[in-house]
Amino acid sequence: MATSSVEAPAPRAFATGAPVGRDALLGAAIRWPRPSLLEAPLELNGKAAEAAQALGLNRVADLLEHLPRARRDARSIAALEPGETATVVAEVKAIAGRPVRRRGMRPLVEATVADGTATMKATFFNQPWLLQRYRPGTRLVLHGKYAGRAAFRVSHHAVTEETGAEAGEVSHYAATVGLSSTQILALMAGSRGLLEEVVEPLPGRLRARHRLPERRTALAAVHFARDGEEAETGRRRLAFEELLLTQLALLHRRARRRSREEAMALDSEPSLTGRWLAGGLPFNLTADQGAAIETIGVELAGSRPMQRLLMGDVGSGKTVVALFAMLRAAEHGRQAVMMAPTETLAEQHFAAIQRLIGAENVSLALLTGSTPAARRADILAKLESGELALAVGTHALIEPGVRFASLAVAVVDEQHRFGVRQRAALDAKAPAGLVAHVLHMTATPIPRTLALCRHGDLDQTRLTELPRGRRPVDTHVVTGGRERARAYERIREELRRGRQAFVVCPLVDEPEDPGAGWWGEAARGAEAAAEARAATVEYERLAAGEFAGFRVVLLHGQMHHRDKQAAMAAFAAGEADVLVATSVIEVGIDVPNATVMVVENAERFGLSQLHQLRGRVGRGEHRSLCLLFGSKTSTRLRALADHADGFALAEIDLALRREGELIGTRQSGLSQFRTARLPEDAALLEAARACAERVIDGDPLLCSPEHVLLAGALAAALGEEAERPIAA
Ligand code: ADP
Ligand code: MG
């Protein structure tokens, strides 16, 4: 019998791929890390110990995880100026001690050091033991003052990589009084051997697949690398781990929720929805809408609660998709709600849904804070009896007094992700032991990186295709008096043709105390008032000036609800030509005959806000115009003029905000990471997400032996965060 001999592939070194011989394999030391050694307190005395504590460096582990904030070029010796304080990297050529005359002073140590550009004498005070430690050939990082005449007084020093001759880069650390960056580097070098004790949380298979170095190697590279590329390899390894842990936490939470909660399975044949989709709609679905409906239909048919985020630009047609989910509940004799953040928005959804339901016989009601008491009582009774199938409204729908016979589906509009408490309120509305399927909708296009970080525990669907008949809006940046005059002429032309125009006014002045102001209720109130004033002034100016003879109405957040409604109704009915407003119209006004959007002081708005505003026009058959009054040099305004796609704008916005954050002016919401940098690390994030999905799919609760250390790292990194119940 012939035996086929299969030769095992020769072993190769990790990462380099160099062949490894038998002797090398047998000779390799076997050791396991002893992480307990990392728990030892840092040995420092006096001021340095206090300073270390202030930096949160108590244990050896804290030190090793204190990652450099930057890398700095070491100065070359030849370039040093007398009197300059600098860091150099140099090699010891000779070293000697010299007694000091002064009483109480220990011998001075003088080393001749060179860095390839020049040689100088470095002096160390009061540390005679350096004579033994810094033998010729040792490479040092020296921080001190160049006194001229080739003399350098060293204040901080550390051993660095032994090899290499040119001045390289050195790590620069967040430091404090009493503990300089160079001292930290010295401590780090002294503790370098302990990197051996660092535990590797990533399973070997996973590291191999993603070609990631070991954790301790990565840490060594980040601290001690001589060139940026090597340091970057280490940083990416740590960043991958960080992103993976975050994604694991999100998916782990989702997995736990799925294992504990159950929803009604809406799995019977589609009777009503089948008929409705086939012939009850006034238009054909886009491919995106069709795909979303199919996904949602499958999800609703299971008892695993749906938690899906439906993202789509203004006008992308989310309502019909949401209504499908609601009608699925209705045709099972169950109930569904749609919740909007404002009454105006709720009213519009109500009207839109009434239109879309068309001839189908499904009961529907609107419930908001301003629903009259008698009507409210009637609606509550019918929700409780089950007579009412669908309800649209505000948070009034989840108030304690509202009871449902059988709530199965909830649609939550406009990115109002609930907090844990509201989530509980919603859950309580479903029949005992069950929770509702939830569909979240947002018109704010979120860049993918942000969506993964912020909503990574939700399934996500995007509508990217605009429904047929929708055309991009001509967008222009208008600067200066001449252009402004021409713009008004152009608007009057539109108005004379029977079209309508929006004029949006942000507040003109900066809030008085932005530092304290942005987050305070009082300040927000003051800001709304200022905005209202700005709009009112502009309204009066335009009504008497540029738009004299046209019907101009005003809308701002401080008006009485009744007056707001009247203004909106007049504009919607075509009884007003121009609506002057604050950003309250940002979401939820639908007037297809409006073809002009004017934004005053456009730079005051964020990119996504401007995009939302622009989405108010271009909704009908006529070509529309968006005029942004502001500076032509504004990157944001230019981006808006150049791009129609909300998701593309969102990516630009993120990139711009990231820049803003670097100069410390804005928040991007992605600063939570220590080593990962977004959006630059987007590809790494995708890889980490895919990896987390694979891990959780195979081991949802992370209890296989292979994942024990990963679960440990997760608990250590995210602590309670990882255990927190999920918000809807
Ligand atoms: P969104 O809520 O995503 O901003 P809507 O659902 O309000 O968008 O839809 C915007 C407009 O487009 C509505 O008037 C709606 O009836 C219409 N619409 C939605 N889907 C389509 C489609 N596939 N074809 C044509 N018109 C559509
Ligand atoms: Mg909508």
PDB file of all heavy atoms in Angstrom, residues 624-654:
ATOM      1  N   SER A 624     -35.087  73.772  -8.076  1.00  0.00           N
ATOM      2  CA  SER A 624     -34.993  74.592  -6.872  1.00  0.00           C
ATOM      3  C   SER A 624     -33.611  75.182  -6.670  1.00  0.00           C
ATOM      4  O   SER A 624     -32.632  74.755  -7.283  1.00  0.00           O
ATOM      5  CB  SER A 624     -35.385  73.783  -5.645  1.00  0.00           C
ATOM      6  OG  SER A 624     -36.750  73.474  -5.700  1.00  0.00           O
ATOM      7  N   LEU A 625     -33.581  76.138  -5.751  1.00  0.00           N
ATOM      8  CA  LEU A 625     -32.413  76.978  -5.569  1.00  0.00           C
ATOM      9  C   LEU A 625     -32.120  77.103  -4.080  1.00  0.00           C
ATOM     10  O   LEU A 625     -33.026  77.294  -3.273  1.00  0.00           O
ATOM     11  CB  LEU A 625     -32.814  78.347  -6.129  1.00  0.00           C
ATOM     12  CG  LEU A 625     -31.794  79.415  -6.387  1.00  0.00           C
ATOM     13  CD1 LEU A 625     -30.804  78.923  -7.434  1.00  0.00           C
ATOM     14  CD2 LEU A 625     -32.526  80.669  -6.897  1.00  0.00           C
ATOM     15  N   CYS A 626     -30.842  76.978  -3.722  1.00  0.00           N
ATOM     16  CA  CYS A 626     -30.472  77.221  -2.331  1.00  0.00           C
ATOM     17  C   CYS A 626     -29.397  78.302  -2.329  1.00  0.00           C
ATOM     18  O   CYS A 626     -28.363  78.157  -2.984  1.00  0.00           O
ATOM     19  CB  CYS A 626     -29.939  75.932  -1.698  1.00  0.00           C
ATOM     20  SG  CYS A 626     -29.314  76.170  -0.034  1.00  0.00           S
ATOM     21  N   LEU A 627     -29.663  79.406  -1.636  1.00  0.00           N
ATOM     22  CA  LEU A 627     -28.734  80.533  -1.613  1.00  0.00           C
ATOM     23  C   LEU A 627     -28.160  80.678  -0.210  1.00  0.00           C
ATOM     24  O   LEU A 627     -28.884  80.945   0.745  1.00  0.00           O
ATOM     25  CB  LEU A 627     -29.467  81.816  -2.017  1.00  0.00           C
ATOM     26  CG  LEU A 627     -30.106  81.767  -3.424  1.00  0.00           C
ATOM     27  CD1 LEU A 627     -31.041  82.944  -3.639  1.00  0.00           C
ATOM     28  CD2 LEU A 627     -29.028  81.728  -4.505  1.00  0.00           C
ATOM     29  N   LEU A 628     -26.872  80.464  -0.107  1.00  0.00           N
ATOM     30  CA  LEU A 628     -26.215  80.530   1.194  1.00  0.00           C
ATOM     31  C   LEU A 628     -25.513  81.872   1.308  1.00  0.00           C
ATOM     32  O   LEU A 628     -24.538  82.127   0.591  1.00  0.00           O
ATOM     33  CB  LEU A 628     -25.208  79.394   1.330  1.00  0.00           C
ATOM     34  CG  LEU A 628     -25.773  77.992   1.096  1.00  0.00           C
ATOM     35  CD1 LEU A 628     -24.652  76.954   1.026  1.00  0.00           C
ATOM     36  CD2 LEU A 628     -26.764  77.637   2.196  1.00  0.00           C
ATOM     37  N   PHE A 629     -26.021  82.766   2.141  1.00  0.00           N
ATOM     38  CA  PHE A 629     -25.368  84.051   2.332  1.00  0.00           C
ATOM     39  C   PHE A 629     -24.191  83.858   3.282  1.00  0.00           C
ATOM     40  O   PHE A 629     -24.354  83.511   4.449  1.00  0.00           O
ATOM     41  CB  PHE A 629     -26.360  85.071   2.909  1.00  0.00           C
ATOM     42  CG  PHE A 629     -27.404  85.517   1.900  1.00  0.00           C
ATOM     43  CD1 PHE A 629     -28.396  86.424   2.255  1.00  0.00           C
ATOM     44  CD2 PHE A 629     -27.392  85.034   0.598  1.00  0.00           C
ATOM     45  CE1 PHE A 629     -29.348  86.847   1.329  1.00  0.00           C
ATOM     46  CE2 PHE A 629     -28.342  85.445  -0.337  1.00  0.00           C
ATOM     47  CZ  PHE A 629     -29.329  86.355   0.029  1.00  0.00           C
ATOM     48  N   GLY A 630     -23.008  84.074   2.744  1.00  0.00           N
ATOM     49  CA  GLY A 630     -21.823  83.868   3.572  1.00  0.00           C
ATOM     50  C   GLY A 630     -20.566  84.023   2.737  1.00  0.00           C
ATOM     51  O   GLY A 630     -20.618  84.509   1.600  1.00  0.00           O
ATOM     52  N   SER A 631     -19.451  83.551   3.284  1.00  0.00           N
ATOM     53  CA  SER A 631     -18.165  83.760   2.638  1.00  0.00           C
ATOM     54  C   SER A 631     -17.841  82.651   1.650  1.00  0.00           C
ATOM     55  O   SER A 631     -18.046  81.471   1.929  1.00  0.00           O
ATOM     56  CB  SER A 631     -17.070  83.839   3.703  1.00  0.00           C
ATOM     57  OG  SER A 631     -15.828  83.606   3.089  1.00  0.00           O
ATOM     58  N   LYS A 632     -17.323  83.056   0.500  1.00  0.00           N
ATOM     59  CA  LYS A 632     -16.962  82.064  -0.519  1.00  0.00           C
ATOM     60  C   LYS A 632     -15.765  81.215  -0.092  1.00  0.00           C
ATOM     61  O   LYS A 632     -15.491  80.179  -0.674  1.00  0.00           O
ATOM     62  CB  LYS A 632     -16.645  82.775  -1.830  1.00  0.00           C
ATOM     63  CG  LYS A 632     -17.877  83.333  -2.504  1.00  0.00           C
ATOM     64  CD  LYS A 632     -17.726  83.315  -4.005  1.00  0.00           C
ATOM     65  CE  LYS A 632     -19.018  83.658  -4.722  1.00  0.00           C
ATOM     66  NZ  LYS A 632     -19.899  84.645  -4.076  1.00  0.00           N
ATOM     67  N   THR A 633     -15.028  81.673   0.916  1.00  0.00           N
ATOM     68  CA  THR A 633     -13.848  80.907   1.313  1.00  0.00           C
ATOM     69  C   THR A 633     -14.202  79.817   2.327  1.00  0.00           C
ATOM     70  O   THR A 633     -13.350  79.023   2.696  1.00  0.00           O
ATOM     71  CB  THR A 633     -12.786  81.824   1.944  1.00  0.00           C
ATOM     72  OG1 THR A 633     -13.392  82.485   3.058  1.00  0.00           O
ATOM     73  CG2 THR A 633     -12.275  82.845   0.955  1.00  0.00           C
ATOM     74  N   SER A 634     -15.456  79.792   2.771  1.00  0.00           N
ATOM     75  CA  SER A 634     -15.831  78.791   3.761  1.00  0.00           C
ATOM     76  C   SER A 634     -15.839  77.384   3.151  1.00  0.00           C
ATOM     77  O   SER A 634     -16.530  77.117   2.169  1.00  0.00           O
ATOM     78  CB  SER A 634     -17.218  79.119   4.325  1.00  0.00           C
ATOM     79  OG  SER A 634     -17.801  77.956   4.854  1.00  0.00           O
ATOM     80  N   THR A 635     -15.044  76.499   3.737  1.00  0.00           N
ATOM     81  CA  THR A 635     -14.954  75.131   3.226  1.00  0.00           C
ATOM     82  C   THR A 635     -16.309  74.447   3.280  1.00  0.00           C
ATOM     83  O   THR A 635     -16.691  73.705   2.390  1.00  0.00           O
ATOM     84  CB  THR A 635     -13.972  74.303   4.092  1.00  0.00           C
ATOM     85  OG1 THR A 635     -12.898  75.139   4.468  1.00  0.00           O
ATOM     86  CG2 THR A 635     -13.464  73.109   3.339  1.00  0.00           C
ATOM     87  N   ARG A 636     -17.016  74.712   4.371  1.00  0.00           N
ATOM     88  CA  ARG A 636     -18.307  74.061   4.553  1.00  0.00           C
ATOM     89  C   ARG A 636     -19.298  74.469   3.469  1.00  0.00           C
ATOM     90  O   ARG A 636     -19.979  73.642   2.877  1.00  0.00           O
ATOM     91  CB  ARG A 636     -18.867  74.444   5.923  1.00  0.00           C
ATOM     92  CG  ARG A 636     -18.841  73.296   6.890  1.00  0.00           C
ATOM     93  CD  ARG A 636     -19.446  73.679   8.204  1.00  0.00           C
ATOM     94  NE  ARG A 636     -18.719  74.795   8.805  1.00  0.00           N
ATOM     95  CZ  ARG A 636     -19.227  75.591   9.740  1.00  0.00           C
ATOM     96  NH1 ARG A 636     -20.456  75.412  10.167  1.00  0.00           N
ATOM     97  NH2 ARG A 636     -18.510  76.555  10.250  1.00  0.00           N
ATOM     98  N   LEU A 637     -19.372  75.783   3.218  1.00  0.00           N
ATOM     99  CA  LEU A 637     -20.329  76.261   2.226  1.00  0.00           C
ATOM    100  C   LEU A 637     -19.955  75.755   0.838  1.00  0.00           C
ATOM    101  O   LEU A 637     -20.811  75.387   0.046  1.00  0.00           O
ATOM    102  CB  LEU A 637     -20.403  77.795   2.248  1.00  0.00           C
ATOM    103  CG  LEU A 637     -20.821  78.421   3.591  1.00  0.00           C
ATOM    104  CD1 LEU A 637     -21.102  79.905   3.425  1.00  0.00           C
ATOM    105  CD2 LEU A 637     -22.025  77.712   4.194  1.00  0.00           C
ATOM    106  N   ARG A 638     -18.659  75.714   0.570  1.00  0.00           N
ATOM    107  CA  ARG A 638     -18.227  75.195  -0.733  1.00  0.00           C
ATOM    108  C   ARG A 638     -18.605  73.735  -0.880  1.00  0.00           C
ATOM    109  O   ARG A 638     -19.069  73.304  -1.926  1.00  0.00           O
ATOM    110  CB  ARG A 638     -16.713  75.353  -0.889  1.00  0.00           C
ATOM    111  CG  ARG A 638     -16.304  76.623  -1.598  1.00  0.00           C
ATOM    112  CD  ARG A 638     -15.016  76.419  -2.388  1.00  0.00           C
ATOM    113  NE  ARG A 638     -14.053  75.591  -1.673  1.00  0.00           N
ATOM    114  CZ  ARG A 638     -13.084  76.085  -0.896  1.00  0.00           C
ATOM    115  NH1 ARG A 638     -12.973  77.377  -0.725  1.00  0.00           N
ATOM    116  NH2 ARG A 638     -12.232  75.285  -0.295  1.00  0.00           N
ATOM    117  N   ALA A 639     -18.396  72.969   0.195  1.00  0.00           N
ATOM    118  CA  ALA A 639     -18.730  71.542   0.143  1.00  0.00           C
ATOM    119  C   ALA A 639     -20.206  71.369  -0.192  1.00  0.00           C
ATOM    120  O   ALA A 639     -20.591  70.507  -0.989  1.00  0.00           O
ATOM    121  CB  ALA A 639     -18.416  70.874   1.481  1.00  0.00           C
ATOM    122  N   LEU A 640     -21.022  72.204   0.405  1.00  0.00           N
ATOM    123  CA  LEU A 640     -22.456  72.111   0.189  1.00  0.00           C
ATOM    124  C   LEU A 640     -22.820  72.432  -1.259  1.00  0.00           C
ATOM    125  O   LEU A 640     -23.687  71.792  -1.852  1.00  0.00           O
ATOM    126  CB  LEU A 640     -23.150  73.086   1.131  1.00  0.00           C
ATOM    127  CG  LEU A 640     -24.502  72.634   1.610  1.00  0.00           C
ATOM    128  CD1 LEU A 640     -24.349  71.470   2.552  1.00  0.00           C
ATOM    129  CD2 LEU A 640     -25.209  73.785   2.295  1.00  0.00           C
ATOM    130  N   ALA A 641     -22.131  73.454  -1.807  1.00  0.00           N
ATOM    131  CA  ALA A 641     -22.395  73.828  -3.193  1.00  0.00           C
ATOM    132  C   ALA A 641     -21.948  72.713  -4.144  1.00  0.00           C
ATOM    133  O   ALA A 641     -22.540  72.508  -5.187  1.00  0.00           O
ATOM    134  CB  ALA A 641     -21.687  75.137  -3.528  1.00  0.00           C
ATOM    135  N   ASP A 642     -20.943  71.961  -3.740  1.00  0.00           N
ATOM    136  CA  ASP A 642     -20.377  70.944  -4.634  1.00  0.00           C
ATOM    137  C   ASP A 642     -21.022  69.569  -4.512  1.00  0.00           C
ATOM    138  O   ASP A 642     -20.896  68.743  -5.402  1.00  0.00           O
ATOM    139  CB  ASP A 642     -18.870  70.775  -4.366  1.00  0.00           C
ATOM    140  CG  ASP A 642     -18.085  72.018  -4.771  1.00  0.00           C
ATOM    141  OD1 ASP A 642     -18.664  72.846  -5.501  1.00  0.00           O
ATOM    142  OD2 ASP A 642     -16.925  72.157  -4.352  1.00  0.00           O
ATOM    143  N   HIS A 643     -21.656  69.272  -3.374  1.00  0.00           N
ATOM    144  CA  HIS A 643     -22.171  67.923  -3.160  1.00  0.00           C
ATOM    145  C   HIS A 643     -23.661  67.924  -2.839  1.00  0.00           C
ATOM    146  O   HIS A 643     -24.118  68.745  -2.049  1.00  0.00           O
ATOM    147  CB  HIS A 643     -21.442  67.232  -2.004  1.00  0.00           C
ATOM    148  CG  HIS A 643     -19.987  67.012  -2.260  1.00  0.00           C
ATOM    149  ND1 HIS A 643     -19.504  65.874  -2.855  1.00  0.00           N
ATOM    150  CD2 HIS A 643     -18.908  67.800  -2.020  1.00  0.00           C
ATOM    151  CE1 HIS A 643     -18.193  65.962  -2.970  1.00  0.00           C
ATOM    152  NE2 HIS A 643     -17.809  67.127  -2.465  1.00  0.00           N
ATOM    153  N   ALA A 644     -24.370  66.958  -3.408  1.00  0.00           N
ATOM    154  CA  ALA A 644     -25.792  66.823  -3.103  1.00  0.00           C
ATOM    155  C   ALA A 644     -26.033  65.669  -2.130  1.00  0.00           C
ATOM    156  O   ALA A 644     -26.985  65.673  -1.359  1.00  0.00           O
ATOM    157  CB  ALA A 644     -26.575  66.579  -4.389  1.00  0.00           C
ATOM    158  N   ASP A 645     -25.141  64.686  -2.163  1.00  0.00           N
ATOM    159  CA  ASP A 645     -25.346  63.464  -1.382  1.00  0.00           C
ATOM    160  C   ASP A 645     -25.027  63.678   0.102  1.00  0.00           C
ATOM    161  O   ASP A 645     -23.923  64.054   0.467  1.00  0.00           O
ATOM    162  CB  ASP A 645     -24.452  62.371  -1.987  1.00  0.00           C
ATOM    163  CG  ASP A 645     -24.440  61.109  -1.144  1.00  0.00           C
ATOM    164  OD1 ASP A 645     -25.332  60.963  -0.276  1.00  0.00           O
ATOM    165  OD2 ASP A 645     -23.536  60.281  -1.342  1.00  0.00           O
ATOM    166  N   GLY A 646     -26.028  63.421   0.916  1.00  0.00           N
ATOM    167  CA  GLY A 646     -25.886  63.652   2.348  1.00  0.00           C
ATOM    168  C   GLY A 646     -24.810  62.814   3.005  1.00  0.00           C
ATOM    169  O   GLY A 646     -24.102  63.279   3.895  1.00  0.00           O
ATOM    170  N   PHE A 647     -24.670  61.578   2.561  1.00  0.00           N
ATOM    171  CA  PHE A 647     -23.668  60.729   3.200  1.00  0.00           C
ATOM    172  C   PHE A 647     -22.258  61.213   2.851  1.00  0.00           C
ATOM    173  O   PHE A 647     -21.360  61.186   3.688  1.00  0.00           O
ATOM    174  CB  PHE A 647     -23.873  59.257   2.822  1.00  0.00           C
ATOM    175  CG  PHE A 647     -25.072  58.661   3.513  1.00  0.00           C
ATOM    176  CD1 PHE A 647     -26.275  58.496   2.840  1.00  0.00           C
ATOM    177  CD2 PHE A 647     -25.008  58.290   4.846  1.00  0.00           C
ATOM    178  CE1 PHE A 647     -27.385  57.965   3.481  1.00  0.00           C
ATOM    179  CE2 PHE A 647     -26.110  57.763   5.498  1.00  0.00           C
ATOM    180  CZ  PHE A 647     -27.311  57.604   4.817  1.00  0.00           C
ATOM    181  N   ALA A 648     -22.082  61.698   1.613  1.00  0.00           N
ATOM    182  CA  ALA A 648     -20.781  62.264   1.227  1.00  0.00           C
ATOM    183  C   ALA A 648     -20.494  63.501   2.075  1.00  0.00           C
ATOM    184  O   ALA A 648     -19.385  63.678   2.585  1.00  0.00           O
ATOM    185  CB  ALA A 648     -20.778  62.622  -0.260  1.00  0.00           C
ATOM    186  N   LEU A 649     -21.519  64.350   2.240  1.00  0.00           N
ATOM    187  CA  LEU A 649     -21.334  65.553   3.060  1.00  0.00           C
ATOM    188  C   LEU A 649     -21.005  65.191   4.503  1.00  0.00           C
ATOM    189  O   LEU A 649     -20.207  65.853   5.157  1.00  0.00           O
ATOM    190  CB  LEU A 649     -22.593  66.421   3.004  1.00  0.00           C
ATOM    191  CG  LEU A 649     -22.778  67.219   1.714  1.00  0.00           C
ATOM    192  CD1 LEU A 649     -24.157  67.849   1.656  1.00  0.00           C
ATOM    193  CD2 LEU A 649     -21.701  68.300   1.604  1.00  0.00           C
ATOM    194  N   ALA A 650     -21.616  64.145   4.964  1.00  0.00           N
ATOM    195  CA  ALA A 650     -21.362  63.729   6.339  1.00  0.00           C
ATOM    196  C   ALA A 650     -19.900  63.325   6.528  1.00  0.00           C
ATOM    197  O   ALA A 650     -19.288  63.629   7.554  1.00  0.00           O
ATOM    198  CB  ALA A 650     -22.282  62.571   6.716  1.00  0.00           C
ATOM    199  N   GLU A 651     -19.351  62.645   5.534  1.00  0.00           N
ATOM    200  CA  GLU A 651     -17.940  62.264   5.630  1.00  0.00           C
ATOM    201  C   GLU A 651     -17.062  63.516   5.637  1.00  0.00           C
ATOM    202  O   GLU A 651     -16.101  63.608   6.404  1.00  0.00           O
ATOM    203  CB  GLU A 651     -17.527  61.342   4.476  1.00  0.00           C
ATOM    204  CG  GLU A 651     -18.303  60.023   4.369  1.00  0.00           C
ATOM    205  CD  GLU A 651     -18.020  59.026   5.501  1.00  0.00           C
ATOM    206  OE1 GLU A 651     -17.032  59.227   6.236  1.00  0.00           O
ATOM    207  OE2 GLU A 651     -18.804  58.062   5.650  1.00  0.00           O
ATOM    208  N   ILE A 652     -17.402  64.486   4.797  1.00  0.00           N
ATOM    209  CA  ILE A 652     -16.634  65.733   4.764  1.00  0.00           C
ATOM    210  C   ILE A 652     -16.753  66.443   6.113  1.00  0.00           C
ATOM    211  O   ILE A 652     -15.768  66.920   6.677  1.00  0.00           O
ATOM    212  CB  ILE A 652     -17.150  66.658   3.637  1.00  0.00           C
ATOM    213  CG1 ILE A 652     -16.883  66.012   2.279  1.00  0.00           C
ATOM    214  CG2 ILE A 652     -16.492  68.040   3.728  1.00  0.00           C
ATOM    215  CD1 ILE A 652     -17.488  66.765   1.116  1.00  0.00           C
ATOM    216  N   ASP A 653     -17.963  66.470   6.611  1.00  0.00           N
ATOM    217  CA  ASP A 653     -18.212  67.134   7.888  1.00  0.00           C
ATOM    218  C   ASP A 653     -17.346  66.531   8.988  1.00  0.00           C
ATOM    219  O   ASP A 653     -16.729  67.230   9.778  1.00  0.00           O
ATOM    220  CB  ASP A 653     -19.698  66.979   8.238  1.00  0.00           C
ATOM    221  CG  ASP A 653     -20.102  67.883   9.391  1.00  0.00           C
ATOM    222  OD1 ASP A 653     -19.489  68.958   9.542  1.00  0.00           O
ATOM    223  OD2 ASP A 653     -21.018  67.510  10.137  1.00  0.00           O
ATOM    224  N   LEU A 654     -17.295  65.211   8.989  1.00  0.00           N
ATOM    225  CA  LEU A 654     -16.500  64.531  10.014  1.00  0.00           C
ATOM    226  C   LEU A 654     -15.024  64.902   9.882  1.00  0.00           C
ATOM    227  O   LEU A 654     -14.349  65.195  10.869  1.00  0.00           O
ATOM    228  CB  LEU A 654     -16.691  63.017   9.893  1.00  0.00           C
ATOM    229  CG  LEU A 654     -15.896  62.190  10.896  1.00  0.00           C
ATOM    230  CD1 LEU A 654     -16.296  62.536  12.315  1.00  0.00           C
ATOM    231  CD2 LEU A 654     -16.110  60.703  10.634  1.00  0.00           C
TER     232      LEU A 654
END
